């Protein structure tokens, strides 16, 4: 992987040399950024923020990016990002993306560095609140608890756009790389929650990640169709928080995930001020606890339909209905009930309604309500006293961008 990355960087620097790059002037550098503050409150169940049932302002995002065109074909840029979501992020500044981009032809370009993963239609812009109607993207596909393993990777990618004449055009991107997951990340919190608090994640290791994405701009005006496939492997070291059979508390165990795959299908139709969209996700997870339990395979399923309409230049209304199942073989939760757990932990069904106010070219204010059925994406570690099946989540957010 390091050799591939070095070759890609060598190609990029070679392109710089061949293009005889002139010195960058201040006027050639573009600087943009955003900062947002939100509020979350749920009548039952702590969700996203671990104190949302009491009302939480731990819902903050900030980013600043710098980009420049070194030549007509060679571009470079980077973005620093910080967020706070409950007990995640905690305003730590990270390098969100940073890459060089050489576009040789319309149908072939090369990127290298820290890349955004083209996961569905909206993953690459999910951090920029002003570019979408909803405050919270449909969690059936854009799950915040998997944020650090789906947002970006360090590696290389090739991309392009192929004109199909009367059939429209086809864009594609292939990426290969890896990523780093911290012990205080959302993936660590998910690992702890899925074990019912019996394990505590201490470290993660991620193998190579392969991503293939394509989008077809059809000859029908406003209609685009996309597909994404990603595969990776990873492992984590955990320790037991209490005695489990013969294993005393504090025992270190190795958890292996030899196969993690994502498949997403996407459709979007735009008619003037109306946008309709639907996406479908199938996720496969193969896991084993080394020398303790054999491999098990679980498949997750999620999908949504959404609509948004801009009534005026300053007001837009959006809605979606999102469904997610923790296990496609146990959609009604009967297996969970057999283990003495509530059946509503098998699914989550979310009807959302958003009002978006563009106060001017820099300020956006949004309010949003979610009628929830089920708790499949609700963290057990945030709800030690149990969860309720039917509940409501309120969100509001104000964003300044420049």
């Amino acid at each position: 992987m390091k050799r591939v990355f070095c070759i890609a960087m060598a190609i990029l620097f070679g392109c710089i040399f061949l293009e005889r790059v002139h010195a960058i002037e201040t006027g050639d550098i573009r600087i943009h950024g955003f900062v947002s503050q939100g509020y979350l409150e749920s009548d039952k169940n702590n969700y996203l923020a671990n104190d949302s049932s009491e009302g939480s302002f731990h819902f903050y995002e900030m980013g600043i990016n710098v980009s420049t065109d070194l030549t007509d074909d060679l571009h470079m840029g980077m973005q620093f990002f910080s967020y706070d979501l409950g007990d995640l992020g905690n305003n730590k500044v990270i390098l969100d993306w940073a890459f060089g981009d050489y576009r040789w032809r319309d149908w072939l370009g090369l990127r290298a560095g820290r890349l955004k993963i083209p996961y569905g239609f909206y993953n690459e812009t999910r951090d920029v609140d002003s570019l979408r109607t909803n405050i919270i993207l449909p969690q059936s596909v854009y799950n915040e608890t998997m944020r650090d393993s789906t947002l970006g990777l360090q590696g290389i990618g090739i991309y392009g756009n192929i004109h199909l004449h009367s059939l429209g055009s086809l864009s594609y991107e292939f990426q290969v790389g890896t990523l780093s997951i911290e012990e205080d990340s959302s993936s660590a919190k998910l690992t702890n929650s899925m074990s019912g608090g019996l394990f505590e994640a201490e470290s993660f290791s991620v193998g190579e990640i392969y991503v293939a994405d394509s989008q077809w701009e059809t000859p029908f005006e406003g209609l685009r169709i996309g597909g994404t496939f990603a595969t990776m492997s990873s492992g984590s070291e955990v320790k037991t928080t209490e005695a489990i059979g013969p294993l005393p508390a504090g025992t270190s165990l190795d958890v292996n995930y030899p196969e993690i795959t994502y498949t997403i299908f996407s459709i979007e139709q735009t008619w003037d001020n109306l946008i309709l969209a639907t996406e479908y996700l199938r996720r496969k997870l193969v896991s084993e606890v080394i020398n303790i339990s054999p491999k098990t395979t679980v498949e997750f399923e999620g999908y949504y339909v959404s609509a948004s309409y801009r009534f005026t230049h300053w007001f837009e209304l959006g809605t979606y209905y999102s469904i997610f199942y923790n296990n496609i073989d146990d959609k009604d939760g009967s297996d969970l009930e057999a283990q003495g757990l509530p059946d509503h932990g098998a699914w989550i069904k979310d009807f959302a309604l958003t009002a978006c106010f563009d106060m001017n070219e820099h300020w956006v204010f949004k309010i949003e309500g979610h009628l929830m059925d089920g708790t499949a994406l609700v963290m057990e570690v945030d709800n030690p006293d149990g969860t309720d099946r039917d509940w409501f989540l309120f969100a509001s957010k104000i964003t300044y961008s420049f």
Side-chain angles (χ1 to χ4, degrees), residues 237-254:
E237 183 176 320
V238 302
K239 68 177 180 180
T240 58
T241 58
E242 57 185 74
I244 304 176
L247 302 176
T251 300
S252 294
L253 301 172
D254 291 321

Side-chain angles (χ1 to χ4, degrees), residues 328-402:
I328 61 172
D329 295 323
D330 185 34
K331 290 185 176 181
D332 63 358
S334 56
D335 289 351
L336 291 179
E337 278 192 307
Q339 302 172 46
L341 301 172
D343 61 350
H344 56 74
W347 69 84
I348 188 166
K349 301 174 183 180
D350 177 4
F351 174 71
L353 182 64
T354 309
C356 176
F357 303 89
D358 292 284
M359 295 182 287
N360 56 42
E361 62 178 327
H362 298 294
W363 289 94
V364 178
F365 175 68
K366 304 176 185 181
I367 56 174
E368 185 169 284
H370 295 258
L371 285 174
M372 301 286 205
D373 173 8
T375 57
L377 295 175
V378 175
M379 293 280 197
E380 289 186 23
V381 294
D382 291 337
N383 296 274
D385 297 326
T387 56
D388 293 280
R389 172 174 172 172
D390 298 302
W391 50 292
F392 179 79
L393 174 71
F394 170 80
S396 62
K397 196 174 191 181
I398 188 166
T399 299
Y400 175 79
S401 59
F402 61 90

Side-chain angles (χ1 to χ4, degrees), residues 48-266:
L48 297 182
N50 58 339
D51 55 353
S52 67
S53 61
E54 300 175 358
S56 175
F57 283 99
H58 288 281
F59 187 23
Y60 165 86
E61 294 171 335
M62 182 277 291
I64 185 166
N65 60 73
V66 181
S67 62
T68 188
D69 302 325
L70 299 179
T71 70
D72 290 340
D73 302 317
L74 185 61
H75 317 281
M76 299 187 73
M78 66 176 62
Q79 175 168 288
F80 293 96
F81 179 72
S82 174
Y83 82 103
D84 181 34
L85 183 61
D87 56 353
L88 298 175
N90 296 318
N91 299 308
K92 181 168 62 176
V93 178
I94 63 171
L95 184 62
D96 191 27
W97 53 263
F99 57 83
D101 182 333
Y102 179 70
R103 192 178 185 93
W104 182 57
R105 296 287 189 273
D106 284 346
W107 55 271
L108 183 62
L110 172 69
R111 296 188 180 112
R114 176 160 176 81
L115 312 177
K116 285 282 193 177
I117 296 176
Y119 173 98
F121 276 162
Y122 310 116
N123 192 59
E124 292 173 285
T125 58
R126 70 189 294 178
D127 290 332
V128 187
D129 180 70
S130 59
L131 296 181
R132 65 177 188 267
T133 307
N134 305 110
I135 296 175
I136 301 170
L137 284 171
Q139 294 297 284
S140 57
V141 175
Y142 300 99
N143 186 352
E144 286 296 321
T145 61
M146 300 301 299
R147 178 192 185 108
D148 47 24
S149 62
T150 57
L151 201 57
L153 57 78
Q154 294 90 243
I156 61 173
I158 60 171
Y159 69 96
N161 186 278
I162 302 171
H163 297 286
L164 303 175
H165 305 291
S166 61
L167 296 179
S169 64
L170 182 70
S171 62
Y172 71 90
E173 185 162 5
F174 299 101
Q175 295 179 347
V176 58
T178 189
L179 57 86
S180 300
I181 298 178
E182 304 295 331
E183 61 274 7
D184 59 350
S185 65
S186 58
S187 290
K189 185 175 180 179
L190 179 62
T191 299
N192 301 342
S193 187
M194 289 178 64
S195 71
L198 296 177
F199 297 154
E200 181 177 311
E202 294 190 301
S203 64
F204 289 87
S205 61
V206 180
E208 291 184 353
I209 305 168
Y210 299 91
V211 182
D213 177 78
S214 64
Q215 295 185 21
W216 177 32
E217 296 284 349
T218 74
F220 303 101
E221 185 176 357
L223 177 63
R224 63 171 175 156
I225 300 172
T228 306
F229 177 78
T231 182
M232 61 183 290
S233 61
S234 69
S236 64
E237 183 176 320
V238 302
K239 68 177 180 180
T240 58
T241 58
E242 57 185 74
I244 304 176
L247 302 176
T251 300
S252 294
L253 301 172
D254 291 321
V255 181
N256 188 29
Y257 304 97
E259 182 182 351
I260 305 172
T261 61
Y262 300 87
T263 304
I264 304 173
F265 298 103
S266 311

